[in-house]
Amino acid sequence: MGYSFPEEALEHVLWFLSSDRDRNSVSLVCKSWYEIERWCRRRVFVGNCYAVTPEIVIRRFPEVRALEMKGKPHFADFNLVPEGWGAYVYPWISAMSVAYPWLEEIKLKRMVVTDESLELISKSFKNFRVLVLSSCEGFTTDGLASIAANCSNLRELDLRESEVEDLSGHWLSHFPDSYTSLVSLNMSCLGSEVSFSALERLVARCPNLRTLRLNRAVPLEKLPNLLRRAPQLVELGTGAYSAEIRSDIYSNLAEAFSFCKQLKGLSGFWDAVPAYLPAMNSVCSGLTSLNLSYATIQCPDLTKLVSQCHSLQRLWVLDYIEDSGLEALSASCKDLQELRVFPSDPFGAEPNVFLTEQGLVSVSEGCPKLQSVLYFCRQMTNAALITIAKNRPNMIRFRLCIIEPQVPDYLTLEPLDTGFGAIVKSCKELRRLSMSGLLTDRVFDYIGTHAKKLEMLSIAFAGDSDLGLHHVLSGCDSLRKLEIRDCPFGDKALLANAAKLETMRSLWMSSCSVSYGACKLLGQKMPRLNVEVIDERGPPDSRPESCPVEKLYVYRTVGGRRIDMPGYVWTMDEDSTIEFS
Amino acid sequence: MAQESELNFKATELRLGLPGTDECEDMISSVKNNNKRSLSETVEDNASKDITSPETPPAPKAQIIGWPPVRSYRKNNLQTKKTESETGIFVKVSMDGAPYLRKIDLKIYNGYAELLKALETMFKFTIGEYSEREGYKGSEYAPAYEDKDGDLMLVGDVPWNMFMTSCKKLRIMKGSEARGLGCGV
């Protein structure tokens, strides 16, 4: 009674499947479906570069056209991961240069990329189209010159937030005159000035240019020259947004903006001068994304600008917006989905702006589509959090950073357990949560009980005991990434929930109370986890087993222990022995 | 609860006491068995190392590594703004007949009165009384300054803030030249 579903038919159906999860499910149906699927997978996402090796990926998926990969743990953004930790992309580029000659896209996050890697990319992949380096480091503008010179089919070059050694702006001039396919360029992280005439000519000859994010060094007076040559721009990042106050500069700028009828996103605005803000008025009503997080403009200029952007879906801004500006935002921007408020004076002892919990409450009240929040402030109450939770059960990402660690509800002096508890109870689709303020084990009980869709949790200076960690590991069914710093979590919860760690991408714990002995035991028990101890004090063997490790990074892997660890990282292997003293 | 708040108080004490240097970050983020215990242990460490001395003024908050979680490029962007507003406006001050010049920071004075007082103390002389009509009367000295255009101007005619931004050099003039600047004889 057998029948055979023709392979070609299945392949045709799979063509429509882009989601990795769906494709992974297809692969599990039977051996032949596994085979068919693996030959037609074109896009691979590797969430942790050490979870697998290039050889394994290439062996399973021989016809890949696009690779997206992430390296260092998230806390590397805040200098918690020492220099030289790893996440080198070169071995991947080297292997793919042979296996995937038709590779078109490489998107990397938090990886170390060298000029050598960039040169190899530029020479190995004839149809290379997209390079996105997000929060990467290790390369110079010479590497960029290779890309510009050799990738004749390049569509996208996006260096967002990468740390580039800026030798000169000359790299941009390496795009040949015959090169016309640029669609997206993000060079906002670079310091040096590029040749403006080279930039102008590049923009003029690339009719498909949609995204242009300039760096600070591009002067405001010259921006109109670029806008006039690219009125089809959808996303623009300005350079420095200040110039001598002159009416000719102003009118030139305003006119150039008025030609850009498709503009949906704006960013840049370094050193913004309020006098030039109204030059943007013609584009405000169409903007869906506005990043003012480098602009040190204050209310009322800031409020006035934001209130004009009625279609805004995403706003990134400094806390100069204050409660009053957020209230205006909540009245004007009913389509707002994402709000990020960054601190203008993160290390100041006293508040420098009038931004409190009330600002966030206003936005949660007025913006029905608000689902993603990153908010830095200096005070919070349980009542405010409860109100926010009640207003916005559709919240998906909620990251609250109260600048002073372990600060309680400033009205009741209680921990913020009930507030965050309300968030996880009400926001049933919550996928990401970062907490701060004074928090006891109780909040983790709430999280373990209610946060069933939670995928990423960030904890700092919180909890009382191992029970807190146990609640999270045993209760959060969807947890993929857990990062913890300065919490009194130790061996018991970790060892009791060892199996859970294989269902997650990674666990980071720094300045906690996990002993070296427990790390060894975990490494022994769980061969499919890499248990890496990071300790800059020297070999953990030189200290008693009960001594807590500085940092611990645990991740599931099919690639075995990694071979590129620096001197301060030790992998706890199956064959490490435990001494009982 | 009481213990919690006590420990929090200790935590606050710790931060106020420590000077804002990098070595302190290691203290705070150093690994101990229990988070709360670690803070109080560190307080004892500091006490024994004599970093918190009763005579030192309350220091700026010691910084914890990686907290608040703001990425470096954001911090740097704000940093440059801050230092710009913190640097002083230093100008040379010369006095006719004095062997060498001095330098002062105009930013530390709240107005002309304070500035002139400071100059009087620095060069040991007295300035007369200012009037718009007659300049500095009652002394053989007159405070003058060189402005952005290179012109020699009498101190005191323009609003203080305008003076601060336009003053390039100060010169305390003496004798007949000083009288030429408008002080009545």
Side-chain angles (χ1 to χ4, degrees):
Chain A
M1 263 275 294
Y3 68 95
S4 166
F5 193 73
E7 274 187 27
E8 298 79 20
L10 182 61
E11 207 175 309
H12 191 73
V13 170
L14 289 186
W15 172 255
F16 296 98
L17 276 189
S18 53
S19 146
D20 281 342
R21 282 187 192 175
D22 290 345
R23 280 183 165 266
N24 291 346
S25 305
V26 163
S27 306
L28 292 173
V29 168
C30 64
K31 283 197 176 131
S32 73
W33 280 38
Y34 175 93
E35 279 299 305
I36 294 165
E37 194 283 317
R38 78 182 188 91
W39 278 96
C40 68
R41 192 174 303 206
R42 297 283 176 266
R43 311 190 138 263
V44 172
F45 170 74
V46 179
N48 171 8
C49 62
Y50 291 119
V52 71
T53 65
E55 291 70 39
I56 294 173
V57 173
I58 289 168
R59 192 169 62 222
R60 180 168 173 191
F61 301 116
E63 299 280 334
V64 166
R65 298 266 193 275
L67 174 74
E68 188 180 339
M69 194 155 61
K70 297 187 181 183
K72 298 188 208 172
H74 173 239
F75 274 176
D77 284 356
F78 315 122
N79 303 323
L80 289 180
V81 175
E83 262 320 290
W85 177 83
Y88 305 106
V89 81
Y90 189 80
W92 290 84
I93 307 296
S94 172
M96 292 192 303
S97 67
V98 174
Y100 298 147
W102 297 110
L103 191 70
E104 293 175 5
E105 286 184 25
I106 296 176
K107 296 183 184 176
L108 305 173
K109 188 167 186 179
R110 283 190 212 100
M111 295 202 70
V112 176
V113 181
T114 56
D115 284 349
E116 214 185 357
S117 301
L118 291 176
E119 196 175 337
L120 191 54
I121 290 172
S122 76
K123 302 241 165 91
S124 311
F125 309 116
K126 298 295 165 226
N127 201 25
F128 196 68
R129 293 176 178 220
V130 173
L131 183 63
V132 177
L133 301 176
S134 175
S135 307
C136 294
E137 50 158 1
F139 60 104
T140 78
T141 41
D142 285 352
L144 297 179
S146 308
I147 298 286
N150 301 317
C151 300
S152 50
N153 286 312
L154 193 72
R155 304 276 189 272
E156 234 179 279
L157 177 60
D158 185 340
L159 305 172
R160 58 178 84 155
E161 296 160 20
S162 289
E163 251 181 66
V164 185
E165 195 185 327
D166 208 324
L167 301 174
S168 88
H170 196 59
W171 65 275
L172 189 92
S173 307
H174 284 256
F175 282 111
D177 290 338
S178 53
Y179 171 73
T180 58
S181 46
L182 193 64
V183 173
S184 170
L185 175 64
N186 180 354
M187 48 180 243
S188 54
C189 62
L190 298 179
S192 301
E193 203 176 331
V194 298
S195 151
F196 191 80
S197 57
L199 179 59
E200 227 176 344
R201 280 178 285 121
L202 178 65
V203 167
R205 67 176 185 271
C206 295
N208 298 321
L209 191 65
R210 290 281 168 277
T211 298
L212 180 63
R213 300 213 193 269
L214 304 167
N215 63 345
R216 198 175 189 165
V218 176
L220 187 61
E221 314 86 84
K222 296 207 177 140
L223 184 59
N225 298 29
L226 298 173
L227 295 182
R228 280 178 216 279
R229 284 167 175 73
Q232 75 281 6
L233 277 181
V234 175
E235 292 178 325
L236 171 71
T238 72
Y241 204 78
S242 76
E244 224 183 299
I245 317 280
R246 274 173 34 195
S247 55
D248 58 325
I249 297 180
Y250 181 92
S251 48
N252 203 12
L253 185 61
E255 198 188 27
F257 268 122
S258 72
F259 293 143
C260 297
K261 306 261 186 243
Q262 323 268 22
L263 215 47
K264 290 255 172 291
L266 276 180
S267 61
F269 297 107
W270 289 277
D271 315 313
V273 152
Y276 279 106
L277 292 178
M280 293 166 35
N281 280 355
S282 58
V283 302
C284 283
S285 58
L287 286 183
T288 57
S289 171
L290 184 54
N291 182 354
L292 294 169
S293 61
Y294 299 116
T296 46
I297 40 172
Q298 326 232 347
C299 292
D301 302 298
L302 187 48
T303 310
K304 206 160 145 217
L305 174 60
V306 159
S307 306
Q308 287 176 265
C309 303
H310 301 290
S311 313
L312 215 53
Q313 293 172 15
R314 184 189 335 157
L315 176 65
W316 291 21
V317 74
L318 286 172
D319 56 9
Y320 291 129
I321 191 138
E322 298 192 329
D323 287 349
S324 58
L326 290 175
E327 192 164 340
L329 179 71
S330 69
S332 313
C333 305
K334 295 302 185 185
D335 284 340
L336 195 71
Q337 294 174 19
E338 178 180 327
L339 174 67
R340 295 197 192 191
V341 179
F342 295 95
S344 54
D345 187 15
F347 303 114
E350 296 301 319
N352 61 323
V353 289
F354 201 75
L355 180 99
T356 69
E357 75 280 9
Q358 190 48 48
L360 188 54
V361 170
S362 308
V363 184
S364 76
E365 259 160 22
C367 301
K369 301 188 190 165
L370 186 71
Q371 60 177 27
S372 178
V373 166
L374 170 62
Y375 199 75
F376 281 82
C377 60
R378 287 173 190 270
Q379 63 183 46
M380 188 51 59
T381 61
N382 283 310
L385 286 170
I386 291 167
T387 305
I388 292 165
K390 193 164 60 98
N391 289 338
R392 296 274 64 80
N394 52 322
M395 192 73 71
I396 293 179
R397 274 171 234 107
F398 190 74
R399 298 157 71 185
L400 180 69
C401 181
I402 305 168
I403 288 178
E404 178 72 32
Q406 299 179 318
V407 139
D409 175 323
Y410 75 94
L411 290 178
T412 65
L413 298 183
E414 282 173 1
L416 292 173
D417 298 337
T418 37
F420 281 105
I423 296 277
V424 293
K425 205 164 168 196
S426 165
C427 308
K428 302 207 189 318
E429 299 299 313
L430 195 70
R431 294 203 302 254
R432 183 168 181 183
L433 178 65
S434 302
M435 305 189 294
S436 52
L438 183 64
L439 296 163
T440 73
D441 284 346
R442 260 193 14 239
V443 75
F444 299 112
D445 192 359
Y446 297 143
I447 292 174
T449 307
H450 297 286
K452 295 304 182 187
K453 300 277 180 74
L454 193 67
E455 296 179 7
M456 181 168 178
L457 179 62
S458 310
I459 312 170
F461 304 101
D464 309 309
S465 74
D466 267 41
L467 200 52
L469 181 57
H470 176 71
H471 284 312
V472 171
L473 288 177
S474 58
C476 295
D477 298 334
S478 310
L479 198 62
R480 293 189 298 114
K481 290 178 281 182
L482 180 58
E483 46 184 26
I484 303 171
R485 63 162 295 177
D486 295 90
C487 295
F489 299 149
D491 302 344
K492 287 206 300 273
L494 195 58
L495 293 174
N497 291 282
K500 171 74 173 177
L501 299 178
E502 262 186 24
T503 69
M504 292 165 52
R505 181 186 297 173
S506 65
L507 166 70
W508 169 278
M509 293 179 74
S510 57
S511 306
C512 296
S513 313
V514 181
S515 72
Y516 175 50
C519 294
K520 283 204 286 192
L521 195 54
L522 188 63
Q524 236 189 16
K525 268 174 71 171
M526 312 293 298
R528 286 183 301 198
L529 294 179
N530 273 359
V531 178
E532 292 181 8
V533 167
I534 299 170
D535 212 313
E536 289 177 285
R537 296 171 296 179
D541 275 331
S542 62
R543 288 179 294 277
E545 290 222 342
S546 57
C547 188
V549 299
E550 272 181 358
K551 297 168 186 176
L552 174 66
Y553 186 50
V554 181
Y555 56 91
R556 67 180 175 189
T557 181
V558 295
R561 62 183 299 176
R562 58 179 177 119
I563 50 173
D564 59 359
M565 294 180 297
Y568 53 80
V569 176
W570 290 269
T571 303
M572 308 290 105
D573 267 338
E574 299 94 85
D575 42 279
S576 53
T577 51
I578 313 244
E579 288 124 35
F580 293 95
S581 51
Chain B
M1 227 14 219
Q3 200 192 13
E4 262 180 340
S5 51
E6 195 190 282
L7 286 159
N8 280 338
F9 175 65
K10 281 207 171 109
T12 319
E13 249 184 7
L14 171 72
R15 280 186 208 99
L16 284 173
L18 286 171
T21 60
D22 280 351
E23 292 107 57
C24 308
E25 291 173 31
D26 294 335
M27 297 251 195
I28 290 177
S29 59
S30 70
V31 176
K32 297 287 165 98
N33 280 327
N34 169 290
N35 192 42
K36 294 195 166 127
R37 221 182 297 142
S38 81
L39 287 173
S40 54
E41 271 181 338
T42 324
V43 168
E44 283 156 35
D45 284 347
N46 289 338
S48 62
K49 284 177 185 164
D50 210 32
I51 287 178
T52 54
S53 106
E55 286 88 52
T56 51
K61 274 204 165 80
Q63 285 180 23
I64 304 169
I65 293 181
W67 193 269
V70 177
R71 299 195 53 193
S72 336
Y73 65 84
R74 286 199 180 280
K75 284 188 270 180
N76 295 339
N77 184 56
L78 301 167
Q79 217 82 300
T80 40
K81 272 263 138 190
K82 237 191 154 170
T83 42
E84 269 162 34
S85 63
E86 275 167 5
T87 47
I89 303 175
F90 281 89
V91 296
K92 290 184 191 171
V93 191
S94 62
M95 173 140 139
D96 293 354
Y100 51 80
L101 283 67
R102 303 297 301 272
K103 227 171 186 180
I104 56 169
D105 177 5
L106 291 180
K107 266 199 165 173
I108 66 176
Y109 306 109
N110 285 327
Y112 286 120
E114 277 187 30
L115 170 66
L116 295 174
K117 196 81 199 284
L119 290 176
E120 284 181 323
T121 315
M122 197 182 258
F123 289 96
K124 311 224 181 335
F125 72 108
T126 10
I127 292 173
E129 225 180 276
Y130 173 79
S131 76
E132 207 183 299
R133 205 167 72 88
E134 293 181 283
Y136 289 87
K137 205 167 142 178
S139 140
E140 55 173 334
Y141 296 97
Y145 69 100
E146 194 181 297
D147 73 358
K148 274 191 205 163
D149 299 323
D151 297 325
L152 194 62
M153 315 283 293
L154 185 70
V155 168
D157 288 334
V158 300
W160 172 252
N161 283 321
M162 194 185 287
F163 164 73
M164 270 217 295
T165 50
S166 52
C167 172
K168 292 283 153 265
K169 254 200 284 196
L170 275 165
R171 180 181 158 192
I172 301 167
M173 301 178 75
K174 190 180 165 182
S176 52
E177 264 203 279
R179 275 184 286 267
L181 266 184
C183 47
V185 177

